[in-house]
C-alpha cells in the first residue's frame, strides 16, 4: 500500500463477527496517531464488514501491525489509498437525501432487483440498505441521494406505478429530514381503514334498504351529488331503525389487520391518536374505547324513542371538516402539521391527507393513491410503523 499525497487510506475489514475487532484495530490506529475521517460497520448473518477511512501522518509499520492483528482476530483486511476531499475546493450543494421504504409479505431478489433497477434508472444513487424486519425480509429502507435533475414528485409517482404493477409490496418515498422520525400524532379514517366494513352499508342491510343506499353511494362516487347531500339521503333511509342494531354493530366492529398493533405501539411510543370519520359517532366512540384512541370525531345520528330519526345532529364531517379537525387537533396538542400522519381510503380523506406531514392512502382507489404521499395496499395497517423507520426489534420492545 502506498498512500496518496493526502495520506488517506481506506481500511476494509471482513470476516466472522465477534467482540473486540473494532476495539483492537482502532486502538492500533490511535496509538499510531492516525486521524479517523469516516467509519461504517454492518453485520449481516454474523458476517462483519467494517470500513475505516484514516489519514496517516506516517504509514511505516502500521499496515503490518494491522495485518498481524487481523490474523489473530480471524478477519481479512484490505487497504486502498484514496484521495481525501479538498476542503479548499468550492463547496457544491449536497444532493437531496431520501428514504425509500419497501414493505411486503416477503421481499426477495426479484422485488429488490425491480426496486433498485428502477431507482438507478431514475438517477437515484443507492447509498445504504437497512433491514427493518427480523424474522424474514419483509421491510427494508433504501437510503438514496437524488441529483437536482430528479423531481421527487415524479419519482414518487413512478414508484407507486411500480408497486401497483408488481402488487406484492408497497413503496414509500420520504425526504430524510428531522420530521421523518419526529412524528407525534396519527389521525385515521374509520370505515374501510381502521375497520373492514362501511357501517352505513351494514345498517342499511339490517334495515332492508341496502340497495337504495348503494345506488346513492354510486351516484356520489360518479360526481352526480356532493358528499353532504348523499349522506343526508342515505341517513334518511335509516329512519325507524332500532338503535339497538347500531349499538350491537358498534360493539362487534371487525378491525382491519394490524390495527390493534398499530395503535398499541403508537400509544407506547407516546403518540397522540385520533379517528376522524365520515361514519357515525356510536361506532367511532366504541372504537375509541376499545383501542384506547385519544380523540374521535364523526357524524352523530339523531335518536328518538329508541329509533333513528333519519337525520344527523351538528355539522357533517365531510372532506373539508376532516381537514379542519386535523388542524384543530394538531394545534390543541401543540404538534406541528409536519409531525402529523393522516391515513384514509376514500376521496373524502384527500384534504386531510394533504394537510398532514405524511398522508397515507390505505387500500385505497388509484385516484387517492396517486394524490397521497404514499400508499399501503399489499401490507396490513401496522406497516405504517415501518414508514417511521422503526425496526422489528423496536416494535417488539414497544409492543
Amino acid at each position: 500500500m502506498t498512500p496518496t499525497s493526502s495520506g488517506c487510506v481506506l481500511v476494509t475489514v471482513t470476516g466472522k463477527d465477534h467482540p473486540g475487532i473494532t476495539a483492537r484495530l482502532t486502538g492500533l490506529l490511535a496509538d499510531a496517531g492516525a486521524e479517523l475521517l469516516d467509519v461504517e460497520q454492518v453485520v449481516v448473518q454474523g458476517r462483519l464488514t467494517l470500513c475505516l477511512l484514516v489519514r496517516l501522518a506516517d504509514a511505516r509499520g502500521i499496515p503490518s501491525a494491522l495485518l498481524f492483528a487481523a490474523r489473530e482476530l480471524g478477519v481479512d483486511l484490505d487497504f486502498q489509498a484514496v484521495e481525501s476531499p479538498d476542503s479548499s475546493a468550492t463547496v457544491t450543494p449536497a444532493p437531496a437525501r431520501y428514504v425509500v421504504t419497501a414493505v411486503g409479505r416477503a421481499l426477495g431478489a426479484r422485488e429488490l432487483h425491480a426496486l433498485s433497477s428502477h431507482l438507478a434508472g431514475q438517477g437515484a444513487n443507492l447509498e445504504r440498505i437497512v433491514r427493518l424486519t427480523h424474522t424474514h425480509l419483509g421491510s427494508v429502507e433504501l437510503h438514496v441521494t437524488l441529483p437536482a435533475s430528479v423531481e421527487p414528485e415524479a419519482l414518487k409517482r413512478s414508484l407507486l406505478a411500480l408497486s401497483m404493477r408488481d402488487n406484492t409490496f408497497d413503496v414509500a418515498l420520504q425526504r430524510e429530514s428531522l420530521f421523518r422520525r419526529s412524528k407525534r400524532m396519527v389521525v385515521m379514517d374509520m370505515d374501510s381503514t381502521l375497520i373492514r366494513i362501511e357501517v352505513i352499508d351494514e345498517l342499511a342491510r339490517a334495515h332492508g334498504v341496502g340497495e337504495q343506499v348503494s345506488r346513492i353511494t354510486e351516484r356520489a362516487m360518479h360526481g352526480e351529488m356532493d358528499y353532504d347531500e348523499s349522506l343526508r339521503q342515505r341517513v334518511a333511509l335509516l329512519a325507524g331503525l332500532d338503535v339497538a342494531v347500531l349499538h350491537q354493530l358498534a360493539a362487534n366492529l371487525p378491525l382491519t389487520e394490524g390495527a390493534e398493533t398499530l395503535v398499541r405501539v403508537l400509544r407506547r411510543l407516546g403518540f397522540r391518536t385520533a379517528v376522524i370519520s365520515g361514519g357515525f359517532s356510536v361506532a367511532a366512540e366504541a372504537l375509541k374505547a376499545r383501542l384506547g384512541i385519544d380523540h374521535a370525531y364523526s357524524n352523530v345520528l339523531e335518536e328518538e324513542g329508541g329509533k333513528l330519526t333519519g337525520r344527523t345532529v351538528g355539522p357533517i364531517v365531510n372532506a373539508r371538516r376532516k381537514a379542519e379537525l386535523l388542524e384543530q387537533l394538531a394545534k390543541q396538542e401543540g404538534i406541528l402539521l409536519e409531525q402529523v400522519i393522516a391515513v384514509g381510503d376514500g376521496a373524502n380523506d384527500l384534504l386531510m391527507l394533504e394537510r398532514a406531514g405524511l398522508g397515507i392512502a390505505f387500500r385505497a382507489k388509484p385516484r387517492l393513491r396517486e394524490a397521497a404521499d404514499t400508499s399501503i395496499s399489499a401490507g396490513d395497517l401496522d406497516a405504517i410503523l415501518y414508514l417511521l423507520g422503526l425496526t422489528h426489534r423496536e416494535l417488539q420492545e414497544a409492543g
Side-chain angles (χ1 to χ4, degrees):
M1 174 198 69
T2 302
T4 62
S5 58
S6 66
C8 288
V9 177
L10 180 64
V11 182
T12 304
V13 185
T14 57
K16 185 178 179 181
D17 185 42
H18 58 83
I21 296 174
T22 305
R24 176 79 178 277
L25 298 178
T26 54
L28 289 171
L29 291 169
D31 291 342
E35 181 184 359
L36 183 62
L37 302 176
D38 198 1
V39 61
E40 189 83 26
Q41 178 173 317
V42 64
V43 177
V44 179
Q45 296 296 315
R47 301 292 297 181
L48 165 77
T49 299
L50 167 64
C51 295
L52 303 157
L53 179 62
V54 297
R55 178 179 286 119
L56 305 176
D58 184 355
R60 290 174 298 179
I62 295 180
S64 58
L66 289 174
L67 286 169
F68 180 76
R71 281 195 295 270
E72 288 189 331
L73 293 166
V75 295
D76 295 320
L77 200 124
D78 177 70
F79 299 97
Q80 181 181 357
V82 297
E83 293 291 341
S84 66
D86 185 358
S87 59
S88 64
T90 303
V91 177
T92 57
R97 306 182 71 84
Y98 285 81
V99 174
V100 178
T101 308
V103 184
R105 300 295 180 187
L107 300 174
R110 184 178 67 85
E111 288 79 13
L112 288 182
H113 168 70
L115 185 54
S116 58
S117 298
H118 184 83
L119 289 169
Q122 296 291 317
N125 183 50
L126 180 56
E127 294 191 338
R128 186 161 61 101
I129 299 178
V130 179
R131 177 180 178 175
L132 299 180
T133 48
H134 174 58
T135 56
H136 68 292
L137 196 61
S139 182
V140 294
E141 279 185 352
L142 294 85
H143 294 247
V144 302
T145 54
L146 301 183
S149 59
V150 176
E151 171 56 47
E153 185 62 27
L155 178 57
K156 185 204 80 172
R157 289 195 298 269
S158 68
L159 288 171
L160 173 63
L162 174 66
S163 66
M164 291 176 69
R165 184 169 64 249
D166 189 279
N167 207 34
T168 61
F169 65 95
D170 297 307
V171 184
L173 176 71
Q174 298 181 72
R175 181 69 182 263
E176 181 63 295
S177 69
L178 171 66
F179 292 113
R180 187 177 82 89
R181 275 182 166 264
S182 64
K183 297 294 190 292
R184 291 294 177 263
M185 184 166 71
V186 178
V187 173
M188 298 161 281
D189 179 42
M190 179 174 67
D191 297 55
S192 297
T193 300
L194 268 176
I195 59 176
R196 299 196 305 270
I197 61 171
E198 294 284 334
V199 171
I200 195 168
D201 291 341
E202 299 301 317
L203 294 176
R205 277 191 282 270
H207 200 42
V209 293
E211 290 186 8
Q212 295 97 306
V213 166
S214 294
R215 283 197 294 270
I216 295 171
T217 302
E218 192 72 17
R219 289 182 62 196
M221 289 178 62
H222 285 87
E224 296 176 18
M225 67 174 69
D226 66 19
Y227 177 83
D228 290 15
E229 180 59 27
S230 72
L231 182 68
R232 292 189 190 97
Q233 291 191 19
R234 286 178 290 172
V235 169
L237 291 169
L238 300 178
L241 177 65
D242 196 312
V243 172
V245 176
L246 173 58
H247 285 275
Q248 182 178 5
L249 178 64
N252 298 280
L253 295 170
L255 296 175
T256 299
E257 299 85 352
E260 286 184 289
T261 300
L262 172 65
V263 177
R264 183 177 67 250
V265 172
L266 290 174
R267 290 180 63 197
R268 291 290 298 275
L269 294 176
F271 279 70
R272 304 298 285 173
T273 54
V275 171
I276 299 181
S277 170
F280 304 125
S281 60
V282 172
E285 290 296 332
L287 199 60
K288 175 175 178 282
R290 179 176 170 183
L291 295 178
I293 293 171
D294 297 303
H295 306 279
Y297 298 91
S298 55
N299 295 302
V300 180
L301 292 173
E302 186 181 63
E303 304 175 12
E304 192 173 285
K307 306 286 185 180
L308 296 182
T309 67
R311 296 184 295 272
T312 60
V313 179
I316 289 176
V317 182
N318 54 23
R320 188 179 303 278
R321 181 64 177 156
K322 283 189 170 190
E324 291 172 351
L325 286 168
L326 182 147
E327 288 189 337
Q328 290 175 20
L329 266 179
K331 185 175 181 180
Q332 175 184 321
E333 296 286 353
I335 295 171
L336 299 174
L337 288 177
E338 289 86 350
Q339 295 177 293
V340 178
I341 297 173
V343 188
D345 73 293
N348 65 333
D349 296 311
L350 177 57
L351 293 179
M352 181 173 75
L353 267 59
E354 288 178 342
R355 298 285 175 87
L358 178 63
I360 302 174
F362 180 73
R363 297 180 184 174
K365 296 290 192 297
R367 182 179 175 185
L368 185 64
R369 293 178 65 181
E370 292 170 3
D373 293 316
T374 190
S375 69
I376 295 175
S377 296
D380 296 336
L381 203 56
D382 55 353
I384 291 170
L385 297 168
Y386 291 122
L387 302 186
L388 301 176
L390 297 173
T391 67
H392 181 75
R393 287 191 178 91
E394 290 170 332
L395 297 184
Q396 287 181 319
E397 293 174 9

